Amino acid sequence: MASLEHAVAPPVSHHAATSTGLPSLKLAMWLFLASDCLLFGALISTYVLYRGASTTGPYPSDVFDIPYTSVSSFVLLASSLTMVLALAAIQRGDVGRSRVWLLATALLGMTFLGGQVYEFTSFVREGLTLKTNVFGTSFYVLTGFHGTHVAVGVLMLLTLFTLSFAGKITQDSAMTVELVGLYWHFVDIVWIVIFTVVYLIPTNPGPGG
Amino acid sequence: MATVSVPAERPGGLLRRPHATTGFWSWFTTVDHKKIGILYGITAFGFFLIGGSEALLIRVQLARPDQTFLEPAVYNELFTMHGITMVFLVVMPLSAAFFNYLLPLMIGARDVVFPRLNAFSYWAFLFAGLFIYSSWFLGGAPNGGWFGYAPNSVTDPTRGMTFYAIGLLIAGIASTVSAINLAVTILNLRAPGMTLFRMPVFVWMGLVVQLLLAFSLPVITIGLVELLFDRLFGTHFFDVAAGGSPVLWQHLFWLFGHPEVYILVLPAMGIVSEILPVFARKPLFGYQFVVFSGIAIGFIGFGVWAHHMFAVGLGPVANTAFAVSTMIIAIPTGVKIFNWLGTLWNGDLRFATPMLFSIGFIAMFVIGGLSGVTHAVVPSDYQQTDTYYIVAHFHYVLFGGAIFGLFAGIYYWWPKVFGRMLSETGGKLNFWLMLIGFNLTFGPMHVLGLQGMPRRIQSYPASLGLSFWNMVSSIGAFVIAISVLVFLVNAIASFRKPKGMEADPWDARTLEWATSSPPPDHNFEEIPVVHSLDDLWHRKYAETEGGRVVPVAAGGSGEDAAIDEHAGEHGAHGGGGHAIHMPSPSYFPLIAAAGFPVIGYGLIFGVPAVAVGLVISLAGFFGWALEPSAE
C-alpha cells in the first residue's frame, strides 16, 4: 500500500514514469502473485480440512520420506540463490554470467521436479493414488499444482536462457529477468508452506487410529 | 513501460504484425481498448438476449399450474443456463465493456496498460461463453444450478457440469487477466494531476471490482478444479463416503460467490454515481463517502459468504457471526443511497433517459437491499431460503440494480461511443416498460415465496393457490421482453442518424467528454492535465462569490483552451496526434485464447485435443512474446 500513499501525494511530473512510480509490469506481477496466493490458500485449506479424514490407508506417515523430501526442498530453495545471482549479473550487464545462473536455476528446478516425479511414482507403488482416499486426492492435487507452477517457471527460465543467445536479454531487459525471478521466489516460498503443512506437521492416521 | 504509445523502434522480423485498424478483420486483431469495449458490449448483449429467452421459456412453463411445456430435465438446464449466462456472460462482461471503454478515457490515458492482454481477455471470455453454450449440442447443458452444489454436480450422469467447470475456469482466466490489467491501468496510467481522489467514482468502483475479482476468482477456480477432478479423474474431494465434504464446495463457491455479487453491482453503482451529478447539475454529494463506502463494501464482501449457508447447519455461533457481518454491510450500501439522494436534493434535475434508469436503479435496489436484510436474520432466512422470496430478492438487486444501472450507462455513453444519440422517446418508453415489467415479474415472487413456493421446481399443482401471481409474473416477463425490443429498435435506428455530434452533449463533468465523440484512436490529442475532481466541469463553469454557477468567460470554455498541454513526452509529439504511435494490432491474443476451449474439449472427449490445445496456446503466447512491439 506504500504505492497508494505515494500516489495520493501531490503529482510530481515524472515524464516517463508511471503514476505510482512503480513499473507497470512489476505491479502486475505482484497483483498476479497476490491472486495466486489465494489459489494455493484454497488448496492448502482443502488439504488441512481433510487431514486425518481418510477412511482407508495409506496414510501420510505410511508413505512420507522426510529426509528425501528435505533434500529436494533444499534443492528448490537453493535455486532462489542462483536466481538472485542471475538477476544481479544481468543488472551489471554481464550477460554470460547471467546466462549460467539462469541455466543453473532451471536445472535445480528440474531436479526438484524429477524428485517429485520419483516421489509420486514410489507413493503409487505403495498404493497411494489420486483415487485411493482423500489424503491421496488432496495431496496429489496440491503438490501437483505446485509442481505445475515450477514447470512453468522452468519453461520461462529456459526461454530466457535461449533468448540470451539471440542477444535479446541485455542489461535493458533486466526487468524481464526480475519478473521471472519474482515468480520463481514466490513458488519457492509457497513450497516452504506446503512442506511444513503437508510433510512436517504430523497427521494422525485415519479416524480409526 | 510508462506508456503504451511510444514503441521501441525495431525492424519487423518474421513475426510481422497486422496493420489494418479498420474493416471487418481488424476486429479480430484489435488491441484498442475502445474496440474491445464495444466487442465486450455486443457479445454480452447477445448473451443477454439468449439468457432472457431462457427466462421467458421458464416463465411460460410456470405461467399456469400443472404444465408440461418443459420436461423437468430441460427445466433444470434452462434455469442453470439462465443463471450462468446472466452472471458470467452478461452482467460481468457488460461491466467489463464499460470499464474497458471508459477507464482509460476517464483517467486521461491513451489505452490500457497491456493492450494485447486486454484483447486476450476478451477472446478467452468469448470462447468460454461459446464453450459452455456448445454443451446444448454435445450431450446436455449444465443442470445443477449456477452454484453447482456438490455432490449433485459430481454425480450427475450428463456432461453438463463438466462443461460448467471448464467453461467457468476459462472465463475465470479471462476475468483475472483483465482484472490485473485494469487495476494496473488505474494505478499507473493516470494523467498528470489525476490523483486517486480526483478519479471519478466509476473509476474507483472499477478499481474495487478488479481487486475483488483478483482475490475472489482464485477461490472458485480451486473449487472448479476440485469438481473437475472429481468428475474426470475419480478423486474424492466432495465424496462423503471417502471422508470428503460437499460443504467445502459451498464454502469455496460462496467465498467467491458473495464478492461476486458486489462485482456485479458496484459497476452499476459507479455508473449511477457519474450520471446523477450530470443530470442534477450538482457535484456528487459526499464523494469521499461514496468512495470509502465502495471500498468498505469490497472488504466486508469477503466476510459474509456463509449467509448463503444458514440452513446448512454450521452452528449458531457461525450463523450469528455471519448474520451480524451481513447486517453491517448494509451500512455502507445505505450510505451510498443517501449520498445519491443528497445529490438529487435541490438539484436542477433533467429527466433524460439515463437519469430515469439511474433513479429506477436506486428505487429497485433499495427494495432488493431491504429484502436482503430480512434474510440476514437467521430464523427468518430459515423460512425464506430456497423459496421464490430469494429469487425476488436477488433479481431486485441484480436486475433492478445491476441491469438498470447498466442501461443507464448505455443511454448515457452511447453518444460518446457511437457519435449518435439514442432517441429520448424510445428511451423513455424502454424505461417505463422495463420498470413496469420488472415489478410485475419479480414483485409477485415475494408473495409466492412467502406462500412457500420452492425454487427450481418445474411445476406446481393448482391446489396450492399459486396460480394467480405466477400468471402475473409471466405476463411481466413478456413486458420486459418488449422493453428490450424497444431498446434494440432504438439502437438500430440511431445508426441511421448522421454522425458528428458535439463532443459533450450532456454537459458532463468527467474527462471522457473532453475529447471528440467518438474519440480518436489515441483518445486525446494532448494528454490532459488535471487540477480537480470533475475537472471538465471546472473548465466550463466557475462559481461566483454568491455561490452561483456561471460559464467560464468566452474563449475560456473552448476545448482547445481547456486542455492543458502536457509537458511530457506526448507534448513533444504534439501536432494533432500525427506522431502518436499506438500499439499495432496482433493475431496472437486470439490464438493464445483459442487453445483453451480445445483443451476443454480434449478433457471431455479425448486426450489428443488437450495436446493440440496446449500447442495452440503456447504458440500464441510465444508468438506474442517474440513479435516486434510495433512496425
Side-chain angles (χ1 to χ4, degrees):
Chain A
M1 289 293 108
S3 60
L4 283 181
E5 281 163 24
H6 176 77
V8 183
V12 188
S13 185
H14 300 294
H15 289 173
T18 58
S19 313
T20 57
L22 290 171
S24 294
L25 276 168
K26 204 188 274 186
L27 192 55
M29 182 53 98
W30 279 113
L31 254 176
F32 166 73
L33 294 179
S35 176
D36 216 14
C37 274
L38 278 121
L39 287 175
F40 281 105
L43 274 174
I44 293 170
S45 304
T46 303
Y47 184 87
V48 171
L49 182 71
Y50 290 158
R51 175 187 286 284
S54 292
T55 49
T56 57
Y59 302 108
S61 53
D62 301 332
V63 292
F64 282 163
D65 180 355
I66 305 289
Y68 174 83
T69 314
S70 302
V71 171
S72 69
S73 304
F74 178 77
V75 170
L76 187 65
L77 296 187
S79 73
S80 266
L81 175 64
T82 54
M83 189 70 232
V84 170
L85 293 170
L87 176 61
I90 198 73
Q91 282 172 340
R92 287 195 310 270
D94 185 348
V95 177
R97 194 65 61 82
S98 181
R99 183 185 292 150
V100 172
W101 291 124
L102 283 173
L103 183 64
T105 312
L107 288 175
L108 287 170
M110 286 191 279
T111 311
F112 173 83
L113 283 177
Q116 197 171 39
V117 171
Y118 174 79
E119 185 186 45
F120 281 12
T121 351
S122 69
F123 287 1
V124 169
R125 245 184 273 121
E126 289 175 61
L128 182 74
T129 68
L130 261 179
K131 302 181 187 182
T132 311
N133 52 23
V134 287
F135 164 56
T137 289
S138 54
F139 170 79
Y140 283 118
V141 174
L142 169 58
T143 51
F145 194 73
H146 178 266
T148 311
H149 272 72
V150 177
V152 170
V154 168
L155 193 64
M156 293 195 289
L157 288 166
L158 291 177
T159 307
L160 289 184
F161 177 72
T162 316
L163 286 178
S164 74
F165 288 102
K168 295 202 172 177
I169 303 296
T170 61
Q171 194 163 8
D172 293 341
S173 45
M175 168 76 102
T176 315
V177 178
E178 189 177 355
L179 291 176
V180 174
L182 280 177
Y183 174 85
W184 191 257
H185 297 313
F186 169 78
V187 172
D188 282 5
I189 291 167
V190 169
W191 181 252
I192 297 176
V193 178
I194 294 176
F195 184 57
T196 311
V197 170
V198 173
Y199 292 84
L200 296 184
I201 299 177
T203 309
N204 295 328
Chain B
M1 298 309 119
T3 101
V4 293
S5 61
V6 180
E9 295 296 342
R10 280 192 224 160
L14 283 172
L15 298 150
R16 299 198 140 262
R17 294 185 74 151
H19 291 284
T21 53
T22 54
F24 179 71
W25 289 105
S26 73
W27 289 93
F28 293 88
T29 57
T30 185
V31 296
D32 179 348
H33 73 100
K34 297 181 288 299
K35 282 189 147 183
I36 293 170
I38 293 170
L39 285 172
Y40 264 114
I42 292 172
T43 312
F45 205 84
F47 281 120
F48 180 61
L49 298 179
I50 298 173
S53 308
E54 286 160 353
L56 289 180
L57 291 173
I58 292 171
R59 281 322 314 175
V60 170
Q61 164 67 22
L62 293 177
R64 284 187 293 165
D66 303 308
Q67 292 218 100
T68 52
F69 171 67
L70 297 172
E71 294 291 313
V74 177
Y75 185 84
N76 289 347
E77 291 176 315
L78 279 173
F79 77 68
T80 302
M81 286 301 281
H82 169 71
I84 295 171
T85 305
M86 289 305 192
V87 171
F88 294 102
L89 306 180
V90 178
V91 178
M92 280 173 80
L94 212 47
S95 305
F98 283 103
F99 287 140
N100 262 286
Y101 200 97
L102 295 168
L103 289 185
L105 286 165
M106 283 182 160
I107 61 172
R110 298 214 188 275
D111 204 318
V112 297
V113 64
F114 306 119
R116 287 181 294 173
L117 218 47
N118 200 26
F120 167 79
S121 292
Y122 167 73
W123 293 112
F125 146 69
L126 174 67
F127 290 134
L130 296 177
F131 180 83
I132 296 176
Y133 263 89
S134 71
S135 64
W136 283 108
F137 313 104
L138 296 170
N143 55 5
W146 85 285
F147 44 84
Y149 270 13
N152 199 22
S153 54
V154 178
T155 53
D156 184 79
T158 69
R159 292 197 188 103
M161 295 313 282
T162 313
F163 273 98
Y164 163 89
I166 298 171
L168 293 192
L169 280 172
I170 300 173
I173 293 170
S175 296
T176 309
V177 168
S178 157
I180 292 172
N181 198 350
L182 293 177
V184 176
T185 301
I186 296 170
L187 291 173
N188 258 2
L189 289 196
R190 282 168 285 136
M194 178 64 85
T195 56
L196 288 178
F197 283 90
R198 287 178 189 165
M199 299 196 308
V201 172
F202 181 71
V203 179
W204 263 110
M205 294 307 110
L207 183 59
V208 174
V209 166
Q210 308 319 317
L211 295 179
L212 282 174
L213 283 167
F215 296 121
S216 67
L217 282 168
V219 183
I220 186 71
T221 300
I222 292 305
L224 292 166
V225 166
E226 294 178 353
L227 171 62
L228 195 61
F229 269 66
D230 270 13
R231 285 190 64 89
L232 294 178
F233 307 124
T235 53
H236 302 290
F237 282 112
F238 307 122
D239 178 0
V240 179
S245 164
V247 179
L248 173 64
W249 167 267
Q250 298 190 20
H251 281 296
L252 293 175
F253 185 83
W254 290 115
L255 190 45
F256 150 79
H258 204 82
E260 170 71 10
V261 174
Y262 297 106
I263 289 165
L264 298 175
V265 84
L266 283 175
M269 289 180 166
I271 289 170
V272 168
S273 304
E274 294 306 322
I275 291 174
L276 293 177
V278 171
F279 293 89
R281 298 179 67 78
K282 276 178 65 191
L284 184 66
F285 180 75
Y287 167 87
Q288 273 90 349
F289 272 92
V290 179
V291 170
F292 278 110
S293 299
I295 297 171
I297 289 173
F299 273 106
I300 307 172
F302 278 100
V304 300
W305 79 90
H307 68 214
H308 296 269
M309 302 164 60
F310 282 155
V312 169
L314 300 177
V317 175
N319 279 358
T320 310
F322 281 98
V324 170
S325 64
T326 305
M327 290 178 198
I328 288 175
I329 206 168
I331 296 172
T333 316
V335 167
K336 286 193 167 195
I337 303 282
F338 284 108
N339 278 297
W340 292 323
L341 296 181
T343 308
L344 296 178
W345 185 261
N346 254 341
D348 179 8
L349 304 183
R350 283 182 292 166
F351 290 99
T353 310
M355 181 68 153
L356 291 176
F357 272 105
S358 298
I359 294 174
F361 163 90
I362 298 174
M364 297 304 104
F365 190 79
V366 165
I367 297 173
L370 289 176
S371 64
V373 174
T374 67
H375 36 248
V377 182
V378 181
S380 168
D381 183 69
Y382 282 162
Q383 302 302 315
Q384 297 157 357
T385 193
D386 266 336
T387 71
Y388 265 84
Y389 190 85
I390 303 285
V391 181
H393 157 69
F394 68 71
H395 280 95
Y396 268 85
V397 179
L398 294 182
F399 191 142
I403 295 284
F404 270 65
L406 290 167
F407 264 90
I410 290 173
Y411 276 93
Y412 180 57
W413 281 297
W414 190 273
K416 171 53 52 188
V417 176
F418 297 110
R420 301 166 171 94
M421 302 289 285
L422 285 167
S423 144
E424 271 297 301
T425 317
K428 284 178 177 147
L429 184 63
N430 177 2
F431 169 73
W432 288 108
L433 280 174
M434 192 175 269
L435 187 75
I436 293 165
F438 169 77
N439 281 293
L440 276 180
T441 311
F442 299 106
M445 289 187 187
H446 290 108
V447 182
L448 290 168
L450 292 175
Q451 286 179 329
M453 180 169 171
R455 293 169 70 178
R456 312 179 195 113
I457 298 292
Q458 166 253 8
S459 189
Y460 53 92
S463 58
L464 289 182
L466 304 169
S467 311
F468 174 73
W469 288 118
N470 267 304
M471 180 53 93
V472 173
S473 179
S474 294
I475 292 169
F478 282 90
V479 178
I480 297 176
I482 294 168
S483 79
V484 174
L485 283 181
V486 170
F487 169 76
L488 275 178
V489 171
N490 196 348
I492 293 165
S494 80
F495 285 100
R496 298 185 160 211
K497 295 181 192 168
K499 223 172 172 177
M501 345 141 319
E502 51 176 325
D504 181 17
W506 306 115
D507 198 7
R509 316 177 72 88
T510 39
L511 277 185
E512 77 274 23
W513 301 100
T515 185
S516 61
S517 301
D521 277 351
H522 46 275
N523 290 355
F524 300 95
E525 301 300 341
E526 303 288 351
I527 294 290
V529 175
V530 178
H531 300 287
S532 63
L533 181 65
D534 289 339
D535 204 56
L536 180 62
W537 179 265
H538 293 294
R539 291 172 191 179
K540 295 186 291 191
Y541 297 97
E543 210 169 297
T544 62
E545 282 182 17
R548 279 170 48 82
V549 171
V550 292
V552 171
S557 61
E559 268 178 50
D560 298 335
I563 298 176
D564 299 48
E565 185 167 319
H566 170 27
E569 55 198 313
H570 302 298
H573 293 303
H578 299 300
I580 298 171
H581 294 280
M582 294 305 291
S584 299
S586 172
Y587 302 107
F588 292 108
L590 172 60
I591 296 173
F596 292 168
V598 181
I599 297 173
Y601 288 119
L603 286 170
I604 296 175
F605 296 107
V607 180
V610 176
V612 174
L614 273 176
V615 169
I616 294 174
S617 280
L618 277 178
F621 285 121
F622 272 97
W624 179 336
L626 298 177
E627 75 179 335
S629 58
E631 280 179 24

